[in-house]
Amino acid sequence: MKVLNVAAEIFPLVKTGGLADIVGALPQSLIAAGADVRLMLPGLPAVVQGVELQRVVCSIGAIFGAGQVTLRLGKMVGSGVEVYIVDAPYLYKRPGNPYQSADGNEWSDNVQRFALLGWAAAHLAAGDFDADWTPDVLHAHDWHAAMACAYVACRPVTSAATVFTVHNL
């Protein structure tokens, strides 16, 4: 079974709470059980730096307010789990955490930032971005990945099942 986990944070690269711990551990456990698991993460500075052997999967172009969006595939340093990075520097290359600036204020464009993450995950699940890998299951972790499930539901050609997990209610 091929499983795509979509989230905005992962231990040890980006962590604001327990979500990062789950996203860091679950893929490795599923791989140990025989699943083909990959992650999709936004191109936050720590993610871009913590994923090695990156190669361009496709150039998406201008979308969601970003002038250039590229989908990259690499491997997590340490675990070797394969990771798709939604590389959109205009939206993700910032100080602070995934949701707030360094002074604690929410990013005013979080809607666009995480809509892009979900949109990219849904297109990958539809087979639009990587001809070599299409997931059977798309697992969206928390609110910032939730749009992936909605986008999949709007695309009848997508055969991937979706799972949405709320980690902190």
Side-chain angles (χ1 to χ4, degrees), residues 122-146:
H123 277 274
L124 183 66
D128 296 339
F129 289 159
D130 189 345
D132 296 328
W133 195 84
T134 303
D136 301 307
V137 176
L138 185 157
H139 187 170
H141 294 270
D142 257 340
W143 67 267
H144 41 78

Side-chain angles (χ1 to χ4, degrees), residues 135-166:
D136 301 307
V137 176
L138 185 157
H139 187 170
H141 294 270
D142 257 340
W143 67 267
H144 41 78
M147 287 300 294
C149 298
Y151 287 129
V152 167
C154 292
R155 298 211 40 179
V157 297
T158 305
S159 62
T162 58
V163 176
F164 175 56
T165 300
V166 176

Side-chain angles (χ1 to χ4, degrees), residues 44-112:
L44 303 168
V47 171
V48 171
Q49 293 170 3
V51 176
E52 60 188 359
L53 306 173
Q54 293 181 33
R55 67 173 176 82
V56 173
V57 174
C58 67
S59 178
I60 297 168
I63 191 163
F64 288 93
Q68 180 60 38
V69 178
T70 305
L71 186 64
R72 300 179 181 279
L73 179 62
K75 293 187 180 226
M76 283 283 295
V77 172
S79 71
V81 175
E82 291 189 271
V83 180
Y84 289 98
I85 299 172
V86 181
D87 186 16
Y90 178 76
L91 295 173
Y92 301 128
K93 189 176 179 180
R94 304 173 178 181
N97 71 42
Y99 323 108
Q100 301 173 335
S101 63
D103 64 7
N105 292 313
E106 287 191 22
W107 297 111
S108 62
D109 58 354
N110 273 345
V111 171
Q112 290 94 332

